[in-house]
Amino acid sequence: FLSRHKLRPKDSFGQCFLISPHVVRSIVEAVDARADETVIEIGTGTGTLARCLAPSARRVLAIERDRDLVAALAADPLPPNVTVIEADAATFDYAAVYAEGPTAVVGNLPYQITGRLIRALVETPGWRVAVVMVQQEVGKRLAASPGDDDWGALSVFTQAACEVEKVCGAAPGCFHPAPRVQSSVVKLTPRATPLAVEDRRFQQVVKALFAARRKTLRNGLS
């Protein structure tokens, strides 16, 4: 795709394109797209996942902020139910799509804003499932258990709202170009009843406690 359109990965965008058929299949199976729902893909890149998800979904909204890739995708044949949207995933109005009907979310999250996107998902309910590619360290934090070294504020906030399941790992060779880090695919499923309501007080307490890991709970709360 890149050579056909005379494109190269952009370091400024942190672009690493998924090229592993095994990982693609694992993501598609974990999403398990349904005929009545929209799948939002964060950072569609060359459209690999969008093409694979399209046969099972009502439509795929493929978000991509690189206008050169958007132009290339427009020139390439895509399934008729795939719509490419030139937008920044960090500021996209996800809630407007959720309001239209059943929605799933999938994406290879940009490492620079992974935490921000995860928090945006958790704080904006309305989606059925989210299957996301994250840096391995982030995946460990999302799936950690109390007492683990990786257990932290992100773990608490995410698991209060969602069940977290690791789908698979992704070595650097699964991408082009190969990143310098290991990656993980994680599945988030909203809980029918959240373990805690994430209001301002809850956020303050959790952040205060994990900002003072080496202190006692008494000192952290003070």
Side-chain angles (χ1 to χ4, degrees), residues 64-206:
E64 179 53 58
R65 70 171 181 148
D66 183 343
R67 60 185 52 187
D68 293 329
L69 281 174
V70 171
L73 289 165
D76 239 40
L78 287 171
N81 62 336
V82 174
T83 301
V84 179
I85 300 174
E86 184 179 344
D88 186 339
T91 58
F92 184 75
D93 186 2
Y94 297 93
V97 180
Y98 303 159
E100 296 176 6
T103 308
V105 181
V106 64
N108 181 7
L109 303 188
Y111 291 153
Q112 308 95 312
I113 56 172
T114 295
R116 182 177 168 191
L117 289 175
I118 293 289
R119 297 292 297 128
L121 280 173
V122 171
E123 292 172 359
T124 311
W127 42 277
R128 176 182 64 83
V129 66
V131 180
V132 293
M133 177 83 71
V134 296
Q135 193 169 331
Q136 186 180 67
E137 286 72 15
V138 176
K140 288 180 178 179
R141 288 165 58 196
L142 291 172
S145 298
D148 292 349
D149 289 341
D150 296 305
W151 182 251
L154 182 62
S155 317
V156 174
F157 291 136
T158 304
Q159 293 185 31
C162 305
E163 295 181 1
V164 182
E165 174 189 350
K166 180 180 176 180
V167 175
C168 67
C174 294
F175 302 89
H176 170 74
R180 297 177 182 175
V181 297
Q182 299 282 335
S183 303
S184 295
V185 178
V186 178
K187 178 178 180 178
L188 307 178
T189 306
R191 296 182 185 276
T193 303
L195 300 181
V197 177
E198 189 175 329
D199 56 15
R200 183 167 175 271
R201 177 64 56 85
F202 181 55
Q203 292 177 341
Q204 285 179 322
V205 170
V206 172

Side-chain angles (χ1 to χ4, degrees), residues 10-38:
K10 295 178 180 177
D11 289 339
S12 58
F13 280 22
Q15 289 176 341
C16 293
F17 302 107
L18 183 59
I19 58 173
S20 165
H22 166 71
V23 177
V24 170
R25 282 194 300 270
S26 296
I27 293 172
V28 172
E29 290 172 3
V31 175
D32 191 20
R34 301 175 182 178
D36 66 337
E37 74 182 356
T38 296

